[in-house]
Amino acid sequence: MSDVLLESEPSMDNRSPRHGVEQLSMQQALNLALDEVLAENSKALIFGEDCGRLGGVFRVTDGLRAKYGNGRVFDTPLAESGILGMAVGLAMAGFHPIPEVQFDGFAYPAINQIVCQIARMNYRSRGILPMPITLRVPSFGGIRAPEHHGESLEALFAHVPGLKVASPSNPHEAYHLLKYAATRPDPVIFMEPKSRYWQKGEVHFDSADATSPPDGSSPGGGSPTGAKVMREGRHLTLVAWGAMVARCLQVAGLAAEDGIDIEVLDLRWLKPIDEAALEASVRKTRRAVVVHEAPLTSGLGAEVAQLITRSCFDTLKAPVERVTGFDVPYPSGDLEDEYIPNIDRILFGIQRVLEYRRG
Amino acid sequence: MVTAMDTLPTPATGSEAVPLSGPAAPPLTDDELRALYSLMVSVRHLDTSAIAWQRQGLIPGYAPELGQEAAQVGSGFAVDTSRDFVFPTYRELGVARAMGVDMVAYMSTHKATWHGGLYDPLESRLAPIQAVVGGSVLHAVGWAHGQTLTGPADGRLGVAMAYFGDGASSQGDIHEAMNFAAVMKAPVVFFVQNNGWAISLPTELQVAGGSVAGRAAGYGIPALRIDGNDVVAVVDATRRAFAHCRAGNGPVLIEAMTYRRGPHSTSDDPGRYRSLNEERDGAGEDPLERFRQRLLADGVAGEAFFAEALAAAKAEEEEIRAGIQALGPRPGSEMFDLVFQETTPALRAQAASWREESEHV
């Protein structure tokens, strides 16, 4: 896979002090990553609503205040614009802020600080005031939460010049991606799939890439900066990120029973997108379906479809298909399963592509 | 001899006004008073020239600060550029000049060369010019909190000073900033220039309760409501506020009452919302002339000094004008190169096609 984010490989200080393999939930893996980031970088700070005493409503920052003190891990008043505006000032003062927005929908009140300030300060200051801000956002749906507690904002963030966007799909990815993101000199919106916080999986500490996917299929490749093949296949590529990766792996398992060999590509970075990985996969499979929870129109699936079409047009057997949420406000819990792409809808999308015949 | 500042009463809104701790600043020396006058003349001359430059086509637009010289120069004068950091709006020419910022680099933003200005914000201790109204005030809180985290090098904290106006005081970010700063005891000076107008809207239609300073009490922040057209009062208040912050006592708000004598910007037409009579009545005495009379009366400076200061201001303005005239556009490649510290393949590809298609390289 290509190294899309960096010219150089990550430095040694990005490596885990741990070795071997552990079974961890994503919440534990993220907590461990933050613990190590705080230990390795005295300028790293964690703050937000209920991040300190409580350890976060999802417990991702659990125990860190006790270990590193109130100066490094602290609670803020309840105001998202305030939290992220503060992050800008702390970054200007040489810190590496790792703020948390408690739920994705709470990022809206902070949009001015994210879009007009965090994303632009490096540019505005001509590179003199970088914004090494890692904004953790518990994201996406699937937990029957109240309104604005389940949003998919990746297209919104990815559209903003100056922001990078990442989303892990499992505990292993969560650990390595967060450790990587939290050592970068640019702002990264880190979208944690909240429905996956409690799912356990193997975390391989020695290498970000030597892992086997949770379903035991063959290992994927990829540096921490690119997309990653989570399952190899020959007939069709499912492109997904966050919580949809696990669902696509499930779908691939079911399709395999019908003799359909599906490749699952975990995009991991939603900006920048690993174009070379998309091309390599789809040149091989000649068919692609993008799956995301966000609404269809102007979703990131459109971007992915265009990138695939541009690089693979002559080899594609069918137009790139999208299986997504609908152009509706995120529904209440009772209708959540109707909204989030489910196994059936993904299978129908696959079927449409496989049955496509040129007119 | 100029002595005490003119402190206007603070209308308390809801709760008692909070007192400012610490001793009053020592009186300004004659040298300092003359330096302040020279700065104000320089700023007045540069500011009015900038309007002319816009009319002549040298710069596409400008936001004048005519009438706010005392508020800007006086507060900027109090900054210790070895440890403090200032967060301006887009109308802070006088602050920048008083802090010793390179004025060609500062004015470059008005020449549309680069949005934040070309000056080095770290070296000059002035954050990039901020176009979002109230946008940088929270940054000051974050920067200031960073000072408390790092701890004072010699028992004296670096202080962040955030500028905003009566219009910005309506923004939610301002209230979040005041609350955060007070809760965290961050060393922030909120310097409000209440110049009476937010483009076309007068303060009485903008600020409920009639005073931004009055709001500080609600956050437990000491506030000074001062005559912002009296440069000595401004320096004194700002120094007192800095001393309070430096000692770790938390934030202070200063509301400097002044008047925007000119238009909001070179595109504005105040005739549509205020009459010349209203303008004259609201503006009161010219802060520069007022200071001149005071220096004369106190025997601190005479006509020869004033003439010298004006000549120096003119020479400086010519130099800055020449610098701005010589300022060419930045290379287009900077559009791409300065987005990230670590660029992306998409940006590299876009830069390459831009070069090919626009520069035919």
Side-chain angles (χ1 to χ4, degrees):
Chain A
M1 294 301 125
S2 67
D3 196 21
V4 303
L5 197 69
L6 253 193
E7 297 293 343
S8 56
E9 282 300 307
S11 60
M12 287 297 288
D13 62 11
N14 194 35
R15 300 239 177 114
S16 173
R18 290 174 175 250
H19 299 286
V21 184
E22 272 182 52
Q23 280 283 332
L24 297 173
S25 69
M26 185 183 283
Q27 170 264 337
Q28 289 171 320
L30 290 166
N31 182 264
L32 190 59
L34 290 174
D35 190 344
E36 291 176 9
V37 167
L38 287 172
E40 288 159 14
N41 179 5
S42 65
K43 290 291 186 182
L45 304 173
I46 291 174
F47 53 94
E49 294 156 13
D50 310 299
C51 282
R53 289 159 191 275
L54 181 67
V57 293
F58 292 106
R59 306 293 183 267
V60 172
T61 56
D62 190 31
L64 298 179
R65 178 176 178 263
K67 186 165 175 184
Y68 294 95
N70 201 39
R72 305 283 309 280
V73 182
F74 55 93
D75 293 311
T76 65
L78 200 164
E80 289 77 14
S81 191
I83 293 166
L84 295 181
M86 233 188 115
V88 173
L90 283 162
M92 288 168 78
F95 289 92
H96 188 125
I98 310 176
E100 177 187 288
V101 165
Q102 197 163 72
F103 284 87
D104 31 31
F106 305 177
Y108 292 124
I111 282 294
N112 168 52
Q113 288 296 338
I114 297 172
V115 173
C116 302
Q117 308 301 338
I118 291 176
R120 291 193 183 201
M121 193 58 81
N122 184 72
Y123 189 77
R124 190 183 291 146
S125 70
R126 305 174 52 74
I128 293 170
L129 299 171
M131 289 286 112
I133 295 171
T134 314
L135 172 56
R136 293 184 38 253
V137 187
S139 291
F140 315 118
I143 62 162
R144 301 283 191 270
E147 193 174 10
H148 295 309
H149 290 61
E151 306 272 318
S152 303
L153 305 179
E154 66 269 28
L156 192 69
F157 292 135
H159 193 64
V160 177
L163 296 180
K164 293 172 180 174
V165 186
S167 184
S169 60
N170 63 41
H172 175 86
E173 297 301 332
Y175 171 83
H176 288 286
L177 275 181
L178 183 53
K179 281 211 73 180
Y180 183 74
T183 52
R184 302 331 310 152
D186 291 310
V188 177
I189 312 292
F190 195 80
M191 301 177 69
E192 299 168 2
K194 59 177 89 79
S195 68
R196 307 294 298 173
Y197 272 139
W198 316 112
Q199 307 296 316
K200 289 209 168 191
E202 282 182 1
V203 178
H204 296 243
F205 292 105
D206 295 311
S207 163
D209 306 315
T211 175
S212 299
D215 67 353
S217 62
S218 62
S223 72
T225 64
K228 187 167 177 177
V229 174
M230 303 301 270
R231 176 190 171 114
E232 285 187 301
R234 292 170 296 130
H235 298 144
L236 183 144
T237 302
L238 279 177
V239 183
W241 51 90
M244 287 298 99
V245 172
R247 187 152 295 174
C248 287
L249 287 168
Q250 246 183 313
V251 167
L254 292 169
E257 293 169 15
D258 292 332
I260 302 162
D261 191 11
I262 286 180
E263 179 145 309
V264 177
L265 186 70
D266 178 358
L267 216 47
R268 300 203 299 179
W269 285 90
L270 311 181
K271 186 181 183 180
I273 290 177
D274 188 347
E275 297 179 34
L278 286 172
E279 182 178 353
S281 178
V282 180
R283 278 208 172 273
K284 179 176 68 175
T285 62
R286 307 182 72 179
R287 296 177 185 89
V289 175
V290 197
V291 180
H292 61 65
E293 295 185 41
L296 176 75
T297 302
S298 298
L300 210 63
E303 185 70 24
V304 171
Q306 153 60 14
L307 292 173
I308 292 170
T309 305
R310 194 182 61 183
S311 62
C312 306
F313 182 69
D314 51 348
T315 56
L316 278 175
K317 290 259 192 194
V320 179
E321 190 67 34
R322 292 180 286 169
V323 179
T324 71
F326 305 112
D327 291 359
V328 302
Y330 196 93
S332 207
D334 278 356
L335 292 174
E336 204 169 49
D337 293 339
E338 308 301 318
Y339 173 85
I340 300 179
N342 57 29
I343 288 172
D344 284 344
R345 285 178 58 210
I346 298 169
L347 283 168
F348 275 120
I350 289 168
Q351 194 179 353
R352 284 197 292 279
V353 169
L354 289 172
E355 291 176 353
Y356 179 83
R357 295 290 175 268
R358 285 175 194 271
Chain B
M1 185 65 210
V2 182
T3 52
M5 65 175 187
D6 303 321
T7 306
L8 300 182
T10 302
T13 52
S15 58
E16 289 296 306
V18 184
L20 188 63
S21 64
L28 289 161
T29 65
D30 288 357
D31 278 348
E32 284 179 313
L33 291 167
R34 283 189 290 266
L36 282 166
Y37 181 83
S38 294
L39 281 169
M40 281 174 71
V41 171
S42 155
V43 167
R44 167 66 58 89
H45 195 72
L46 191 53
D47 184 69
T48 45
S49 298
I51 302 243
W53 300 344
Q54 192 273 336
R55 303 299 187 231
Q56 295 157 8
L58 178 60
I59 56 176
Y62 179 65
E65 56 90 73
L66 184 69
Q68 297 176 222
E69 294 86 355
Q72 298 209 352
V73 166
S75 52
F77 190 76
V79 174
D80 177 352
T81 52
S82 72
R83 68 178 78 211
D84 302 327
F85 212 94
V86 171
F87 296 78
T89 73
Y90 46 81
R91 196 195 304 282
E92 249 71 77
L93 177 105
V95 178
R97 177 64 186 81
M99 288 176 64
V101 176
D102 179 324
M103 292 316 286
V104 174
Y106 178 88
M107 287 301 292
S108 65
T109 194
H110 299 297
K111 205 193 179 193
T113 310
W114 199 261
H115 281 316
L118 290 174
Y119 57 93
D120 182 325
L122 280 183
E123 256 174 40
S124 62
R125 313 297 283 177
L126 184 70
I129 288 162
Q130 174 66 241
V132 176
V133 171
S136 66
V137 180
L138 281 162
H139 308 169
V141 178
W143 189 92
H145 185 62
Q147 304 311 297
T148 60
L149 290 179
T150 308
D154 52 2
R156 296 166 82 235
L157 286 168
V159 176
M161 179 151 60
Y163 284 87
F164 61 97
D166 43 297
S169 77
S170 295
Q171 293 277 7
D173 271 8
I174 300 298
H175 298 269
E176 294 187 19
M178 285 164 72
N179 187 51
F180 272 56
V183 165
M184 296 177 168
K185 282 187 95 173
V188 184
V189 176
F190 296 104
F191 196 95
V192 186
Q193 291 171 85
N194 186 337
N195 68 10
W197 294 90
I199 302 190
S200 66
L201 207 65
T203 305
E204 60 264 30
L205 297 178
Q206 184 78 249
V207 182
S211 158
V212 182
R215 293 174 182 173
Y219 297 106
I221 298 176
L224 297 168
R225 193 164 192 251
I226 60 169
D227 181 349
N229 292 335
D230 175 351
V231 71
V232 175
V234 175
V235 176
D236 190 45
T238 314
R239 283 185 170 169
R240 279 180 65 196
F242 269 76
H244 177 93
C245 290
R246 258 192 232 304
N249 297 313
V252 179
L253 185 142
I254 297 171
E255 184 177 22
M257 303 306 291
T258 179
Y259 194 85
R260 197 196 76 210
R261 290 175 166 246
H264 161 73
S265 76
T266 44
S267 309
D268 186 25
D269 173 12
R272 293 177 73 94
Y273 52 81
R274 68 187 190 195
S275 70
L276 286 174
N277 280 344
E278 284 173 319
E279 209 167 279
R280 193 189 51 235
D281 293 346
E285 204 185 340
D286 176 355
L288 183 59
E289 178 57 21
R290 186 173 153 188
F291 190 38
R292 199 179 75 90
Q293 295 295 345
R294 197 162 168 176
L295 293 179
L296 263 178
D298 290 343
V300 176
E303 294 301 342
F305 171 78
F306 299 139
E308 209 176 285
L310 183 60
K314 284 183 175 168
E316 179 185 289
E317 181 261 311
E318 271 168 37
E319 209 173 294
I320 294 166
R321 184 199 163 94
I324 290 166
Q325 215 151 15
L327 205 59
R330 303 302 308 167
S333 56
E334 287 189 350
M335 285 193 294
F336 306 97
D337 296 343
L338 296 172
V339 179
F340 291 115
Q341 294 281 318
E342 295 175 337
T343 194
T344 65
L347 272 176
R348 273 201 296 273
Q350 289 165 36
S353 67
W354 164 78
R355 264 195 300 278
E356 209 169 290
E357 293 163 8
S358 303
E359 291 197 326
H360 308 289
V361 175

PDB file of all heavy atoms in Angstrom, chain B residues 82-95:
ATOM      1  N   SER B  82       8.500  40.008  25.458  1.00  0.00           N
ATOM      2  CA  SER B  82       9.380  38.875  25.768  1.00  0.00           C
ATOM      3  C   SER B  82       8.587  37.718  26.367  1.00  0.00           C
ATOM      4  O   SER B  82       9.072  36.597  26.432  1.00  0.00           O
ATOM      5  CB  SER B  82      10.481  39.311  26.741  1.00  0.00           C
ATOM      6  OG  SER B  82       9.934  39.523  28.032  1.00  0.00           O
ATOM      7  N   ARG B  83       7.352  37.980  26.806  1.00  0.00           N
ATOM      8  CA  ARG B  83       6.613  36.874  27.433  1.00  0.00           C
ATOM      9  C   ARG B  83       5.118  36.868  27.130  1.00  0.00           C
ATOM     10  O   ARG B  83       4.455  35.852  27.315  1.00  0.00           O
ATOM     11  CB  ARG B  83       6.815  36.887  28.944  1.00  0.00           C
ATOM     12  CG  ARG B  83       6.166  38.067  29.656  1.00  0.00           C
ATOM     13  CD  ARG B  83       6.376  37.972  31.145  1.00  0.00           C
ATOM     14  NE  ARG B  83       7.725  38.402  31.506  1.00  0.00           N
ATOM     15  CZ  ARG B  83       8.418  37.913  32.538  1.00  0.00           C
ATOM     16  NH1 ARG B  83       7.890  36.989  33.275  1.00  0.00           N
ATOM     17  NH2 ARG B  83       9.621  38.352  32.808  1.00  0.00           N
ATOM     18  N   ASP B  84       4.557  37.975  26.690  1.00  0.00           N
ATOM     19  CA  ASP B  84       3.109  38.028  26.468  1.00  0.00           C
ATOM     20  C   ASP B  84       2.766  37.679  25.017  1.00  0.00           C
ATOM     21  O   ASP B  84       3.645  37.587  24.164  1.00  0.00           O
ATOM     22  CB  ASP B  84       2.576  39.421  26.818  1.00  0.00           C
ATOM     23  CG  ASP B  84       2.887  39.796  28.275  1.00  0.00           C
ATOM     24  OD1 ASP B  84       2.911  38.879  29.111  1.00  0.00           O
ATOM     25  OD2 ASP B  84       3.127  40.989  28.548  1.00  0.00           O
ATOM     26  N   PHE B  85       1.482  37.505  24.766  1.00  0.00           N
ATOM     27  CA  PHE B  85       1.037  37.195  23.404  1.00  0.00           C
ATOM     28  C   PHE B  85      -0.301  37.892  23.172  1.00  0.00           C
ATOM     29  O   PHE B  85      -1.175  37.868  24.039  1.00  0.00           O
ATOM     30  CB  PHE B  85       0.885  35.682  23.213  1.00  0.00           C
ATOM     31  CG  PHE B  85       1.176  35.222  21.810  1.00  0.00           C
ATOM     32  CD1 PHE B  85       2.443  34.782  21.460  1.00  0.00           C
ATOM     33  CD2 PHE B  85       0.183  35.241  20.836  1.00  0.00           C
ATOM     34  CE1 PHE B  85       2.719  34.363  20.167  1.00  0.00           C
ATOM     35  CE2 PHE B  85       0.454  34.828  19.538  1.00  0.00           C
ATOM     36  CZ  PHE B  85       1.724  34.380  19.203  1.00  0.00           C
ATOM     37  N   VAL B  86      -0.435  38.494  22.004  1.00  0.00           N
ATOM     38  CA  VAL B  86      -1.599  39.331  21.724  1.00  0.00           C
ATOM     39  C   VAL B  86      -2.408  38.742  20.570  1.00  0.00           C
ATOM     40  O   VAL B  86      -1.841  38.265  19.586  1.00  0.00           O
ATOM     41  CB  VAL B  86      -1.144  40.774  21.406  1.00  0.00           C
ATOM     42  CG1 VAL B  86      -2.313  41.612  20.908  1.00  0.00           C
ATOM     43  CG2 VAL B  86      -0.513  41.404  22.642  1.00  0.00           C
ATOM     44  N   PHE B  87      -3.717  38.776  20.731  1.00  0.00           N
ATOM     45  CA  PHE B  87      -4.628  38.199  19.730  1.00  0.00           C
ATOM     46  C   PHE B  87      -5.490  39.323  19.160  1.00  0.00           C
ATOM     47  O   PHE B  87      -6.431  39.787  19.809  1.00  0.00           O
ATOM     48  CB  PHE B  87      -5.480  37.102  20.380  1.00  0.00           C
ATOM     49  CG  PHE B  87      -4.648  35.945  20.863  1.00  0.00           C
ATOM     50  CD1 PHE B  87      -3.920  36.027  22.043  1.00  0.00           C
ATOM     51  CD2 PHE B  87      -4.562  34.786  20.114  1.00  0.00           C
ATOM     52  CE1 PHE B  87      -3.128  34.969  22.475  1.00  0.00           C
ATOM     53  CE2 PHE B  87      -3.776  33.718  20.535  1.00  0.00           C
ATOM     54  CZ  PHE B  87      -3.058  33.813  21.719  1.00  0.00           C
ATOM     55  N   PRO B  88      -5.155  39.775  17.950  1.00  0.00           N
ATOM     56  CA  PRO B  88      -5.842  40.942  17.388  1.00  0.00           C
ATOM     57  C   PRO B  88      -7.084  40.572  16.586  1.00  0.00           C
ATOM     58  O   PRO B  88      -7.312  39.409  16.269  1.00  0.00           O
ATOM     59  CB  PRO B  88      -4.791  41.506  16.433  1.00  0.00           C
ATOM     60  CG  PRO B  88      -4.096  40.291  15.906  1.00  0.00           C
ATOM     61  CD  PRO B  88      -4.104  39.268  17.034  1.00  0.00           C
ATOM     62  N   THR B  89      -7.866  41.584  16.246  1.00  0.00           N
ATOM     63  CA  THR B  89      -8.904  41.442  15.236  1.00  0.00           C
ATOM     64  C   THR B  89      -8.286  41.933  13.924  1.00  0.00           C
ATOM     65  O   THR B  89      -7.074  41.890  13.759  1.00  0.00           O
ATOM     66  CB  THR B  89     -10.145  42.282  15.582  1.00  0.00           C
ATOM     67  OG1 THR B  89      -9.830  43.678  15.367  1.00  0.00           O
ATOM     68  CG2 THR B  89     -10.564  42.101  17.028  1.00  0.00           C
ATOM     69  N   TYR B  90      -9.110  42.460  13.044  1.00  0.00           N
ATOM     70  CA  TYR B  90      -8.613  42.998  11.775  1.00  0.00           C
ATOM     71  C   TYR B  90      -8.440  44.515  11.858  1.00  0.00           C
ATOM     72  O   TYR B  90      -8.206  45.165  10.864  1.00  0.00           O
ATOM     73  CB  TYR B  90      -9.591  42.655  10.643  1.00  0.00           C
ATOM     74  CG  TYR B  90     -11.024  42.934  11.036  1.00  0.00           C
ATOM     75  CD1 TYR B  90     -11.542  44.224  10.962  1.00  0.00           C
ATOM     76  CD2 TYR B  90     -11.837  41.921  11.537  1.00  0.00           C
ATOM     77  CE1 TYR B  90     -12.837  44.485  11.379  1.00  0.00           C
ATOM     78  CE2 TYR B  90     -13.130  42.180  11.949  1.00  0.00           C
ATOM     79  CZ  TYR B  90     -13.626  43.457  11.863  1.00  0.00           C
ATOM     80  OH  TYR B  90     -14.907  43.720  12.282  1.00  0.00           O
ATOM     81  N   ARG B  91      -8.634  45.104  13.031  1.00  0.00           N
ATOM     82  CA  ARG B  91      -8.574  46.560  13.154  1.00  0.00           C
ATOM     83  C   ARG B  91      -7.616  46.909  14.292  1.00  0.00           C
ATOM     84  O   ARG B  91      -7.978  47.572  15.243  1.00  0.00           O
ATOM     85  CB  ARG B  91      -9.969  47.114  13.463  1.00  0.00           C
ATOM     86  CG  ARG B  91     -10.128  48.631  13.226  1.00  0.00           C
ATOM     87  CD  ARG B  91     -11.389  49.164  13.895  1.00  0.00           C
ATOM     88  NE  ARG B  91     -12.587  48.465  13.467  1.00  0.00           N
ATOM     89  CZ  ARG B  91     -13.217  48.674  12.311  1.00  0.00           C
ATOM     90  NH1 ARG B  91     -12.771  49.569  11.476  1.00  0.00           N
ATOM     91  NH2 ARG B  91     -14.293  47.976  12.006  1.00  0.00           N
ATOM     92  N   GLU B  92      -6.377  46.433  14.212  1.00  0.00           N
ATOM     93  CA  GLU B  92      -5.474  46.638  15.332  1.00  0.00           C
ATOM     94  C   GLU B  92      -4.142  47.228  14.900  1.00  0.00           C
ATOM     95  O   GLU B  92      -3.091  46.900  15.448  1.00  0.00           O
ATOM     96  CB  GLU B  92      -5.267  45.315  16.066  1.00  0.00           C
ATOM     97  CG  GLU B  92      -5.892  45.263  17.436  1.00  0.00           C
ATOM     98  CD  GLU B  92      -7.409  45.198  17.412  1.00  0.00           C
ATOM     99  OE1 GLU B  92      -7.953  44.114  17.147  1.00  0.00           O
ATOM    100  OE2 GLU B  92      -8.050  46.241  17.659  1.00  0.00           O
ATOM    101  N   LEU B  93      -4.190  48.091  13.904  1.00  0.00           N
ATOM    102  CA  LEU B  93      -2.965  48.717  13.409  1.00  0.00           C
ATOM    103  C   LEU B  93      -2.179  49.386  14.537  1.00  0.00           C
ATOM    104  O   LEU B  93      -0.958  49.255  14.617  1.00  0.00           O
ATOM    105  CB  LEU B  93      -3.330  49.764  12.347  1.00  0.00           C
ATOM    106  CG  LEU B  93      -2.160  50.548  11.777  1.00  0.00           C
ATOM    107  CD1 LEU B  93      -1.832  50.053  10.384  1.00  0.00           C
ATOM    108  CD2 LEU B  93      -2.450  52.044  11.735  1.00  0.00           C
ATOM    109  N   GLY B  94      -2.909  50.071  15.421  1.00  0.00           N
ATOM    110  CA  GLY B  94      -2.244  50.805  16.497  1.00  0.00           C
ATOM    111  C   GLY B  94      -1.567  49.875  17.499  1.00  0.00           C
ATOM    112  O   GLY B  94      -0.491  50.176  18.020  1.00  0.00           O
ATOM    113  N   VAL B  95      -2.189  48.740  17.752  1.00  0.00           N
ATOM    114  CA  VAL B  95      -1.608  47.755  18.663  1.00  0.00           C
ATOM    115  C   VAL B  95      -0.332  47.193  18.042  1.00  0.00           C
ATOM    116  O   VAL B  95       0.725  47.108  18.681  1.00  0.00           O
ATOM    117  CB  VAL B  95      -2.604  46.604  18.948  1.00  0.00           C
ATOM    118  CG1 VAL B  95      -1.973  45.566  19.859  1.00  0.00           C
ATOM    119  CG2 VAL B  95      -3.891  47.152  19.551  1.00  0.00           C
TER     120      VAL B  95
END
